[in-house]
């Protein structure tokens, strides 16, 4: 048994040394984000893993859930490395709707800007941390990429050869209220068998509640395409939110920054007054969970040739559109930090509580991996 363990330790030692050497090379050369094509799920996970290795003092990668098809839901937790606990947090997710391929690209570029290009963006991390889920619906994303391009939902079976739930209809704010398609298990608007029936929605929900309970939550920002809009709550009701002027001011600031940078016109709306009311959205839920600010950023899908490609801009336009989206995301952050400095007291008053059915997580190592790690630490110190 000890011979086997020692053999494993030797192999691990070799692997760790190789990883350390590779990490040193990446640090010297800088980690490159590939935006010449749409990355696969594996490509996105590989980039995140490499980033966490090469910049371990400023980014921690959390495996926060597992999908129906057993893909990891990962969140990058980004700091400036100063070790100051309890900073306020901007929470960003992407690809709740799987066919919106540009959103993971923009989320990854945001991570890259905050971590690899930290020197140019350090002001965004002085008093705030960022928590980013760049791929919130990996099962649907891979199905959209490989099988049915316009697929929007998860891949959980609904019976009767119908699959998938619309994650942005699965949150517990007026769930299943609005129009008949929400109840149709074969429709792309299907709201699910119950609120938070989907592990992906439960995972986002649990992160929201954790941030509110720790009094760190400030802004929730969900990336979508391709309506060229900044939306704020409510979706389920036409009544204004209590800080509507603040939401509107931030939205207009973002729109103005993008227009000045690229000439793209971005609309700013309370969603219900733009497209009518319905329930179950993550944006509305973030606000009732206790976030002071909650937005959807509907990014552009228009190429440099002025053609509207909506969900699937050609590969040549990915970097341009991701950079444009970063301009908007950075503006969201700058205005949020200005409006909510550490000196401003936030009174958290969530209107909903975290239910018992939390998302399954994999926070630790297996016992064998732990044993090997301990052996390695012992032998190398």
């Amino acid at each position: 048994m000890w011979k086997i363990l020692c053999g494993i330790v030797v192999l691990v030692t070799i692997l760790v040394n190789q990883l350390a050497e590779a990490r040193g090379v990446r640090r010297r050369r800088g980690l490159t984000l590939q935006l010449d094509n749409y990355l696969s799920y594996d490509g996105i996970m590989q980039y995140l893993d490499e980033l966490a290795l090469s910049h371990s003092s400023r980014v921690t990668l959390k495996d926060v859930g597992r999908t129906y098809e057993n893909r990891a839901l990962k969140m990058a937790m980004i700091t400036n490395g100063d070790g100051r606990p309890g900073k306020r947090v901007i929470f960003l997710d992407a690809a709740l709707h799987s066919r919106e391929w540009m959103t993971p690209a923009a989320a990854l570029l945001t991570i890259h800007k905050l971590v690899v290009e930290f020197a140019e963006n350090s002001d965004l991390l002085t008093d705030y941390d960022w928590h980013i889920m760049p791929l919130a619906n990996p099962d649907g994303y891979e199905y959209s990429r490989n099988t049915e391009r316009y697929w929007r939902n998860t891949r959980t079976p609904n019976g009767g050869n119908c699959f998938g739930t619309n994650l942005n209809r699965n949150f517990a704010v007026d769930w299943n209220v609005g129009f008949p398609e929400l109840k149709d298990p074969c429709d792309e608007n299907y709201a699910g068998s119950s609120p938070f029936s989907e592990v992906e929605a439960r995972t986002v929900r649990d992160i929201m509640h954790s941030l509110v309970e720790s009094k760190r939550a400030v802004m929730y920002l969900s990336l979508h395409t391709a309506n060229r809009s900044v939306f704020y709550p409510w979706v389920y009701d036409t009544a204004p939110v209590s800080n509507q002027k603040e939401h509107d001011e931030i939205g207009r600031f973002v729109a103005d920054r993008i227009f000045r940078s690229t000439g793209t016109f971005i609309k700013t709306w309370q969603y219900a007054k733009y497209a009518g009311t319905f329930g179950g959205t993550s944006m509305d839920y973030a606000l009732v969970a206790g976030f002071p600010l909650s937005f959807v950023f509907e990014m552009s899908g228009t190429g440099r040739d002025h053609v509207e490609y909506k969900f699937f801009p050609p590969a040549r336009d990915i970097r341009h559109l991701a950079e444009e989206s970063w301009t908007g995301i950075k503006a969201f952050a700058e205005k949020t930090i200005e409006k909510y400095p550490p000196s401003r007291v936030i009174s958290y008053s969530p209107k909903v509580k975290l239910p018992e059915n939390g998302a399954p997580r994999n926070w630790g190592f297996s016992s064998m991996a732990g044993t090997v790690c301990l052996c390695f630490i012992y032998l190398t110190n």
Side-chain angles (χ1 to χ4, degrees), residues 24-152:
V25 170
R26 280 192 293 270
R27 278 178 171 165
R28 291 191 295 271
R29 296 179 180 175
L31 190 63
T32 300
L33 174 61
Q34 193 279 111
L35 290 176
D36 299 326
N37 214 326
Y38 293 103
L39 291 177
S40 66
Y41 164 79
D42 288 337
I44 292 170
M45 295 301 107
Q46 180 181 346
Y47 175 79
L48 293 174
D49 289 340
E50 290 179 355
L51 191 72
L53 276 173
S54 62
H55 295 81
S56 57
S57 65
R58 288 190 283 106
V59 59
T60 301
L61 204 57
K62 289 284 189 181
D63 189 343
V64 291
R66 288 279 162 173
T67 67
Y68 176 77
E69 295 179 347
N70 201 36
R71 291 186 176 91
L73 295 167
K74 291 195 177 185
M75 178 171 69
M77 303 168 66
I78 303 167
T79 77
N80 66 356
D82 66 3
R84 178 152 58 97
K87 288 184 182 180
R88 294 178 172 183
V89 171
I90 292 169
F91 174 34
L92 181 149
D93 67 31
L96 286 175
H97 287 157
S98 53
R99 67 191 179 194
E100 297 170 8
W101 296 357
M102 270 305 306
T103 62
L108 287 176
L109 182 62
T110 298
I111 294 171
H112 190 89
K113 295 284 187 180
L114 294 170
V115 177
V116 179
E117 299 180 21
F118 169 74
E120 296 92 328
N121 299 295
S122 60
D123 57 313
L124 303 179
L125 289 156
T126 302
D127 295 312
Y128 273 68
D129 292 342
W130 291 59
H131 292 182
I132 300 177
M133 284 185 70
L135 188 55
N137 181 8
D139 291 354
Y141 179 74
E142 282 299 282
Y143 191 76
S144 172
R145 289 183 71 254
N146 298 311
T147 305
E148 188 175 336
R149 173 175 277 209
Y150 279 88
W151 190 259
R152 192 184 197 189

Side-chain angles (χ1 to χ4, degrees), residues 90-97 100 103 107 133 136 167-168 171 204 208 219-225 229-231 281-284 286 293-299 329 332:
I90 292 169
F91 174 34
L92 181 149
D93 67 31
L96 286 175
H97 287 157
E100 297 170 8
T103 62
M133 284 185 70
L167 288 174
N168 207 30
F171 287 74
V204 172
M208 289 177 179
M219 180 176 68
Y220 169 66
L221 180 59
S222 191
L223 301 184
H224 289 260
T225 57
S229 300
V230 171
F231 291 122
T281 67
S282 66
M283 179 173 69
D284 281 0
L293 298 171
S294 185
F295 295 94
V296 160
F297 179 22
E298 285 268 359
M299 299 154 38
I329 292 164
F332 271 113

Side-chain angles (χ1 to χ4, degrees), residues 237-255:
D237 192 350
T238 56
V241 297
S242 60
N243 59 342
Q244 176 156 349
K245 288 184 179 179
E246 199 167 56
H247 276 87
D248 194 64
E249 178 186 350
I250 294 171
R252 292 182 185 279
F253 180 79
V254 170

